[in-house]
Amino acid sequence: EDQVTQSPEALRLQEGESSSLNCSYTVSGLRGLFWYRQDPGKGPEFLFTLYSAGEEKEKERLKATLTKKESFLHITAPKPEDSATYLCAVRAPGGDMRFGAGTRLTVKP
Amino acid sequence: DGGITQSPKYLFRKEGQNVTLSCEQNLNHDAMYWYRQDPGQGLRLIYYSQIVNDFQKGDIAEGYSVSREKKESFPLTVTSAQKNPTAFYLCASTWAADPYTQYFGPGTRLTVL
């Protein structure tokens, strides 16, 4: 069965303290890996799509990378406004999207 | 201003009631989706529709119903058969040129009283 596991469940950082969030998956024939940001009580906001191992994408302080088994969302010098839940999702060959449970990031000033 | 709107933002349901959640998009997107989000779990697909007047069940369709009479609208009805409907409901859509990337609405929080 296709699975998506995100770790850690929660992460607390000091402002400026860089770190990484992990998304591991067991989908065969990946048709895309997606990262979203979700603020409390709001819908997920699209960040990145990665399609093949070795691919990287960046947006401001965020950088997403992809291997054959996992993806990392690197956060460089985070600010309090980066606090949110980050969701990972994968699309399998059949078209289904499978979502992880998310990593709740808190950045303290 | 293009986007996906969901209404209401908060909804309260009594036992035995059916309630309908609205989802509208003016992005000219073709496919629309309904997800349910519970604490500590990933989003789970309820129903999706690729074209008008056609829709398919997702992983957790029992106790829910949908319609797709217009391209821009995809309402979700939570029926009394859904035993545990308290959750955050999210509508999403995709367009034909990029069918893999889903864009989400702001969500509706449904609470059973």
Side-chain angles (χ1 to χ4, degrees):
Chain A
E1 183 181 318
D2 299 334
Q3 287 199 346
V4 181
T5 304
Q6 292 188 246
S7 62
E9 288 185 15
L11 181 62
R12 297 170 67 91
L13 300 173
Q14 288 296 126
E15 184 172 2
E17 180 186 1
S18 301
S19 188
S20 297
L21 282 55
N22 178 263
C23 172
S24 62
Y25 60 92
T26 58
V27 170
S28 299
L30 184 73
R31 291 290 185 267
L33 185 141
F34 305 82
W35 282 99
Y36 290 86
R37 169 192 170 125
Q38 186 175 24
D39 292 303
K42 297 190 177 181
E45 174 191 345
F46 171 72
L47 293 173
F48 304 110
T49 308
L50 302 167
Y51 288 106
S52 56
E55 190 175 358
E56 299 183 351
K57 292 208 175 156
E58 289 188 65
K59 180 180 179 179
E60 297 181 354
R61 294 177 292 282
L62 301 176
K63 179 180 177 180
T65 62
L66 180 65
T67 71
K68 289 186 177 180
K69 294 183 178 180
E70 59 192 350
S71 176
F72 292 94
L73 185 65
H74 307 278
I75 303 177
T76 302
K79 298 181 177 181
E81 52 262 43
D82 294 322
S83 297
T85 296
Y86 290 86
L87 303 178
C88 169
V90 299
R91 184 175 287 273
D96 291 350
M97 286 276 275
R98 295 294 175 200
F99 284 82
T103 292
R104 188 172 66 254
L105 174 66
T106 304
V107 182
K108 294 290 190 181
Chain B
D1 219 7
I4 303 171
T5 58
Q6 292 186 240
S7 62
K9 186 173 175 64
Y10 299 97
L11 186 58
F12 298 91
R13 192 193 93 168
K14 294 181 180 179
E15 295 283 350
Q17 266 186 342
N18 291 355
V19 292
T20 298
L21 284 60
S22 169
C23 177
E24 304 274 334
Q25 53 94 5
N26 60 3
L27 302 167
N28 199 31
H29 283 185
D30 302 282
M32 298 185 73
Y33 307 79
W34 274 105
Y35 288 92
R36 170 180 172 140
Q37 187 174 35
D38 295 282
Q41 298 188 41
L43 276 65
R44 290 182 291 168
L45 182 65
I46 304 172
Y47 268 98
Y48 66 100
S49 169
Q50 307 266 15
I51 56 173
V52 173
N53 291 323
D54 188 45
F55 47 83
Q56 284 77 42
K57 293 182 179 180
D59 298 321
I60 56 165
E62 185 175 350
Y64 301 97
S65 66
V66 294
S67 63
R68 186 89 185 274
E69 297 177 0
K70 299 185 296 183
K71 184 176 182 179
E72 57 270 22
S73 178
F74 191 40
L76 173 74
T77 296
V78 184
T79 75
S80 57
Q82 171 49 240
K83 297 306 178 188
N84 185 22
T86 295
F88 191 49
Y89 290 87
L90 289 160
C91 178
S93 66
T94 61
W95 63 311
D98 181 12
Y100 295 152
T101 302
Q102 295 185 353
Y103 296 90
F104 286 86
T108 292
R109 183 163 299 282
L110 173 63
T111 303
V112 173
L113 301 174

